[in-house]
Amino acid sequence: MNAIDPLAAEVLPSGVRARFVDNGNGLSMHVLEAGFESGDRPMALLLHGFPELAYSWRMVIPQLAAAGYHVVAPDQRGYGRTTGWAADYDDDLSPFFILNLVRDITGLVAALGRDSVAAVIGHDYGSPVAAACALVRPDVFRSVVLMSAPFGGPPPLRRDPSTGAGMAAGLSNAAMMDDLAALARPRKHYQWYYSTRPADRDMLDCPQGIHAFLRAYYHMKSADWPANRPHPLASWTAPEMAKLPTYYVMELAQDMPATVAPEMPSPDAVAACRWLPDEALAVYAAEYARTGFQGGLQWYRVVTGGHLGRELKTFAGRTIDIPSAFIAGSSDWGIHQKPGEFEAMQSRALTDLRGVHLLDGAGHWVQQEQADAVSGLLVAFLGEVSAGTR
């Protein structure tokens, strides 16, 4: 029995409903959906990242439904109105391991009465979940679209000796964090900050309030922030990583609210922000004020603790062979925050890659900043896949 109601219809676009679905993996998943009137429509699943919600797809859901799809976007484990999870800092992290997140989504597919879906589409941390779904169960997920976070493939069973020692273990390598802290301008990686005990309370009780914190955070990672001019980084070394903006590689002594506060947009800029008006931001602020951030932060602790790499290593050498596409904003540093991954995705990890699209006028929140363009690309991709054309 859910202690809260589904998201109110007044904050959702026409034709989109909210309800709860038991996913058979311990969760009552809060989902937004459209195009549900007919049971024979192909299904598209939309997976959000951090600090997001199913609501992040609000402008895409109706457009995919209008194109003939049954569209479902869940609040993932640890987020929003989905219940059945616990996320105290000292709780067991294993429910947030990547393969259990895949079980969450495959369970949702089954609970919706499907054996397979036309596509799984993931943004931000939803992208590695979508990639893992495609890697593990290509029979269930017939195509995949990754957004903003490239997938370079599972880690190898043995490290290539030619790989530099600095970041051989990816973001679980504490030595890199020591190197960042030892720079002349001491720094720290945001995923390691998100893995600390104070991070949740820092954001929940921030001086500016959650609404203003999220406004500055979303703004600073969007195309509206003029300093976002991403480019590839040469290597996994501290001096190279320190070229990332401070929302990725932070000042050592600052928390995230203090990091983004100086970039708070002006009242005029907020009023002009069509992709995230204040009434939409209020939905995020209210949900995170109620749940806190720790549910999403557990996902980052899985990365820095090495659990993600260990689970994916089971699939070392495997590629994603179903039809795939990648979409991101051209102003998104997320494309390059892991040196070499964007290139590895294109050269070896995705063997049926139908398109790589970097959209002008979008930063990290591409499906919100450029919802019409993203929806058009998704409809075209899904149409091509269903037609069996190349």
Side-chain angles (χ1 to χ4, degrees), residues 53 78-81 85 200 204 286-295:
L53 300 161
Y79 288 91
R81 302 194 175 205
W85 53 271
D200 173 54
L204 196 55
E287 292 296 271
Y288 280 102
R290 183 176 55 79
T291 65
F293 293 87
Q294 194 61 54

Side-chain angles (χ1 to χ4, degrees), residues 1-5 20 22 26-28 81-84:
M1 191 92 182
N2 286 286
I4 55 173
D5 294 325
F20 294 102
D22 183 341
L27 298 180
S28 176
R81 302 194 175 205
T82 286
T83 57

Side-chain angles (χ1 to χ4, degrees), residues 156-218:
L157 290 174
R158 293 179 298 164
R159 183 170 71 84
D160 183 343
S162 67
T163 302
M167 209 59 176
L171 288 173
S172 64
N173 188 350
M176 170 60 75
M177 305 311 121
D178 293 339
D179 290 346
L180 285 170
L183 291 172
R185 176 187 169 191
R187 308 286 287 279
K188 63 188 176 191
H189 196 278
Y190 80 107
Q191 293 196 19
W192 280 77
Y193 164 70
Y194 280 161
S195 299
T196 64
R197 188 180 294 272
D200 173 54
R201 191 53 59 182
D202 288 345
M203 293 184 281
L204 196 55
D205 296 337
C206 59
Q208 65 265 57
I210 291 177
H211 188 101
F213 161 59
L214 289 175
R215 171 61 71 188
Y217 188 86
Y218 290 141

